[in-house]
């Protein structure tokens, strides 16, 4: 009786060991044993942009239909801008694709004999990004953004006025690269509210504490 039990115990043990071995080769187990992937990325950027944005020119045409030239107001200063500043958040959705969003703020102002004119811009946009090259310390990528954009124009003159206009931007495209592992710098070129040429710094968080 005991001679029959030993082969059964051996067979059961062999089955358990085989099952554990096969489980260790499964993709889910192998992924769990890999180093944790960076799952959250935050960026702060600053970009260069033309003095007049497209939406500001549209507002100019809307509120000055007779083609009034603002230079007739005798400007006494250059037109200044802080240039677009942005805050961006992204996380990976697959091996090479990231998704996220950003907010962008910009402001321009100019003084005239009769007063001053200032414009304020704000946008909140969704983002999708494809990493053409994705290495530990270097990434080359292409990004696309879309979302609502709001511009406010304030004239502080003898006849003060304030106009606000909102629109939806269907596509903004950028090509860029980043260098660094956890703390990194980036540079991008493209078309959008973030500016024609933009750069900044960012930080990547792990899904577990280091």
């Amino acid at each position: 009786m005991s001679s029959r039990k030993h082969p059964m115990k051996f067979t059961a043990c062999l089955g358990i060991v085989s099952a554990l071995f096969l489980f260790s080769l499964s993709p889910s187990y192998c992924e769990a044993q890999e180093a944790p992937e960076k799952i959250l990325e935050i960026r702060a950027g600053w970009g260069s942009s033309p003095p007049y944005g497209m939406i500001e020119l549209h507002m100019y045409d809307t509120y000055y239909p007779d083609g009034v030239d603002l230079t007739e107001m005798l400007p006494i200063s250059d037109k200044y801008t802080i240039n677009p500043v942005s805050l961006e958040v992204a996380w990976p959705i697959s091996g090479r694709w990231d998704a996220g969003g950003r907010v962008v703020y910009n402001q321009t102002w100019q003084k005239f004999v009769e007063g001053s004119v200032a414009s304020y811009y704000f946008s909140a946009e969704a983002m999708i990004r494809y990493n053409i090259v994705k290495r530990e310390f270097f990434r080359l990528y292409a990004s696309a953004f879309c979302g609502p954009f709001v511009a406010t124009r304030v004239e502080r003159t003898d006849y003060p006025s304030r106009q606000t206009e909102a629109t939806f931007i269907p596509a903004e495209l950028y090509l860029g690269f980043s260098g660094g592992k956890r703390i990194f710098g980036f540079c991008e070129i493209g078309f959008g509210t973030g500016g024609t040429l933009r750069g900044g710094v960012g930080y990547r968080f792990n899904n577990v504490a280091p």
Side-chain angles (χ1 to χ4, degrees):
M1 199 58 190
S2 59
S3 61
R4 294 181 180 178
K5 289 182 179 180
H6 289 298
M8 294 178 62
K9 289 182 179 181
F10 176 77
T11 303
C13 291
L14 181 61
I16 293 174
V17 171
S18 301
L20 291 174
F21 177 73
L22 293 174
F23 178 75
S24 67
L25 295 179
S26 66
S28 60
Y29 180 82
C30 292
E31 291 174 1
Q33 299 304 307
E34 294 177 355
E37 185 183 11
K38 309 293 188 302
I39 65 167
L40 180 63
E41 178 181 291
I42 296 180
R43 299 184 178 201
W46 184 75
S48 63
S49 63
Y52 287 88
M54 292 182 63
I55 191 169
E56 186 174 19
L57 293 176
H58 175 68
M59 294 176 68
Y60 179 89
D61 294 336
T62 301
Y63 296 105
Y64 298 94
D66 298 329
V68 176
D69 190 351
L70 291 180
T71 58
E72 295 178 358
M73 296 174 61
L74 300 177
I76 58 175
S77 77
D78 293 329
K79 185 172 183 179
Y80 301 100
T81 176
I82 64 172
N83 284 335
V85 291
S86 60
L87 182 63
E88 182 178 315
V89 178
W91 56 89
I93 56 177
S94 68
R96 291 187 179 270
W97 289 94
D98 301 332
R102 74 174 180 182
V103 292
V104 182
Y105 177 79
N106 192 12
Q107 178 182 343
T108 64
W109 66 94
Q110 187 172 17
K111 291 183 178 180
F112 298 85
V113 173
E114 294 83 354
S116 65
V117 176
S119 297
Y120 307 88
Y121 309 93
F122 177 80
S123 64
E125 306 158 355
M127 179 206 68
I128 188 73
R129 180 168 64 210
Y130 179 74
N131 294 282
I132 304 169
V133 177
K134 189 175 183 180
R135 299 289 184 266
E136 190 174 18
F137 288 92
F138 177 80
R139 297 184 183 185
L140 176 68
Y141 56 87
S143 302
F145 298 84
C146 66
F149 182 82
V150 179
T152 300
R153 179 183 179 86
V154 179
E155 295 187 15
R156 301 179 177 92
T157 63
D158 294 338
Y159 302 95
S161 65
R162 180 187 184 96
Q163 299 95 26
T164 298
E165 184 167 325
T167 187
F168 184 85
I169 301 177
E172 304 174 44
L173 303 176
Y174 285 91
L175 179 66
F177 67 90
S178 65
K181 188 176 181 181
R182 175 164 292 190
I183 299 176
F184 62 92
F186 70 92
C187 183
E188 299 176 349
I189 186 170
F191 172 78
T193 58
T196 305
L197 179 66
R198 59 189 302 264
V201 295
Y203 186 84
R204 297 187 180 105
F205 296 87
N206 282 340
N207 55 356
V208 296

